[in-house]
Amino acid sequence: MLSYRHAFHAGNHADILKHLAWLGVISHLKRKTKPFVVFDTHAGAGQYALNSDQAQLNREYDSGITRLENVQPASALLSDYMSVVTPMIEAGIYPGSPGLTVRTMRGQDAAHMMELHPSEFPALQTNLAPFTTAQGQSGSIHLHHRDGLEGLVAMTPPTPNRGAILIDPPYEVKNEYKQVADTLKAVFQRWQNAQVVVWYPLLSERAKEKAELCLNMVHEISALGKNCFKAEFTITENTHDAGMYGSGVCIINPAWQLDEHLTQSMKEVCKAMGPEAGFSLEWLKQEEA
Ligand SMILES: C[S@@+](CC[C@H](N)C(=O)[O-])C[C@H]1O[C@@H](n2cnc3c(N)ncnc32)[C@H](O)[C@@H]1O
């Protein structure tokens, strides 16, 4: 089943948390000049026009990125994020995870982006064409029309083995939670120092079965690396019928101080979002150095 289209949700609260976390991971990788390799298993179309029919349907960006328009970021991570996003928003576009990656990676780095949807993949190719056809500065960008979880297992560990993975499935079907956990178990057998960001929805009692599958997934993947934390961003109260009341990212093998950088930036985001917004970060595994 491939009915999910990210254009309906581009720039919403979940994108802000996920993209801040992903940018935080890339920023830490860039602290060393050594090259890195990143994988985006569910890439989407790369970027989204906010005046499209899909984005206009519920205008989810209005309760997301639009709220950050007048924020003067104090934290380094939010500042990095806004410096990429603001000029794009001014042009009526919100970047997806591939759009952020290609604008932040360096000439020595590589990215593998996977997308299975028959119309999202050509859109990804078109949207990233200025970067995939340019030589040098954008690094080595590879777009794959394939199943992202299967592709991840096939392409890891990369050379060099310094790098990170973003897993951002639509979770349309219940077994996606287990597929993510099983995939990461296979990946960690061969690539123990992978940094991983897994996005997940926070679902209320109404979607109890999926919420429990999600909890199990987070529990299982949190054991795979040396360290792991989860960071959750809520935008409304978790009542029985709230549906998706927020979202989270589970970060395996996070770089040193990523927790602090994410917390500082999300505090600023929460303030801009209004009184109902909340953020929490919890370490799930911490091995002694
Ligand atoms: C939540 S969206 C991705 C958004 C993107 N990561 C971003 O932050 O801009 C999920 C995407 O995964 C794609 N997808 C669904 N199942 C897939 C699979 N098995 N392999 C690769 N892509 C898949 C969908 O077509 C959709 O474009």
Side-chain angles (χ1 to χ4, degrees):
M1 183 165 78
L2 279 173
S3 51
Y4 180 95
R5 303 295 292 273
H6 196 64
F8 291 98
H9 312 289
N12 72 359
H13 60 89
D15 269 359
I16 294 174
L17 172 67
K18 169 181 60 189
H19 293 159
L20 275 171
W22 184 234
L23 207 58
V25 167
I26 292 181
S27 298
H28 279 77
L29 285 168
K30 282 166 64 177
R31 288 183 178 185
K32 291 187 180 159
T33 51
K34 289 182 196 161
F36 60 75
V37 185
V38 291
F39 297 87
D40 190 338
T41 58
H42 297 71
Q47 64 182 42
Y48 304 91
L50 295 177
N51 67 358
S52 71
D53 289 348
Q54 290 109 320
Q56 286 296 313
L57 188 68
N58 294 318
R59 296 174 65 96
E60 291 191 21
Y61 58 89
D62 270 347
S63 51
I65 191 65
T66 305
R67 303 254 174 113
L68 300 185
E69 245 168 31
N70 297 318
V71 171
Q72 300 296 325
S75 65
L77 181 52
L78 188 61
S79 178
D80 285 352
Y81 171 73
M82 294 305 288
S83 67
V84 178
V85 168
T86 304
M88 297 187 74
I89 294 290
E90 283 168 3
I93 291 164
Y94 182 78
S97 47
L100 283 173
T101 303
V102 295
R103 284 172 177 80
T104 46
M105 63 192 281
R106 305 158 304 179
Q108 64 267 45
D109 307 320
H112 292 273
M113 297 160 182
M114 293 164 262
E115 171 56 49
L116 194 56
H117 196 286
S119 56
E120 292 296 87
F121 183 72
L124 177 67
Q125 288 179 304
T126 304
N127 288 329
L128 293 199
F131 300 90
T132 49
T133 49
Q135 292 296 313
Q137 212 191 348
S138 308
S140 163
I141 299 158
H142 309 272
L143 308 182
H144 308 267
H145 189 195
R146 68 184 296 181
D147 181 292
L149 297 179
E150 181 210 85
L152 182 66
V153 175
M155 287 189 272
T156 50
T159 307
N161 79 349
R162 198 173 167 261
I165 301 165
L166 174 63
I167 301 186
D168 180 25
Y171 298 108
E172 283 178 300
V173 285
K174 289 177 193 150
N175 66 0
E176 277 181 288
Y177 296 97
K178 187 167 175 349
Q179 283 169 356
V180 169
D182 289 347
T183 298
L184 284 177
K185 283 179 200 166
V187 168
F188 270 89
Q189 278 176 7
R190 294 169 316 184
W191 191 18
Q192 284 85 14
N193 63 338
Q195 281 192 65
V196 185
V197 178
V198 178
W199 179 88
Y200 57 89
L202 290 173
L203 301 169
S204 70
E205 181 74 13
R206 196 180 69 192
K208 192 176 174 191
E209 196 186 348
K210 276 192 174 181
E212 282 175 0
L213 289 167
C214 187
L215 275 178
N216 285 342
M217 176 190 77
V218 172
H219 175 71
E220 284 191 32
I221 66 176
S222 68
L224 294 174
K226 280 192 172 176
N227 302 301
C228 180
F229 68 73
K230 67 174 179 179
E232 296 186 340
F233 180 29
T234 53
I235 41 120
T236 187
E237 214 182 314
N238 177 14
T239 55
H240 182 279
D241 285 326
M244 185 171 132
Y245 63 93
S247 70
V249 283
C250 182
I251 307 191
I252 308 169
N253 289 335
W256 187 60
Q257 292 188 324
L258 180 61
D259 56 330
E260 287 174 32
H261 292 142
L262 192 55
T263 302
Q264 284 160 7
S265 60
M266 284 304 299
K267 274 187 186 164
E268 289 188 80
V269 170
C270 283
K271 210 169 148 196
M273 291 290 158
E276 285 204 40
F279 176 74
S280 65
L281 188 146
E282 184 189 346
W283 282 95
L284 303 175
K285 184 176 181 186
Q286 271 182 300
E287 268 184 16
E288 294 298 323

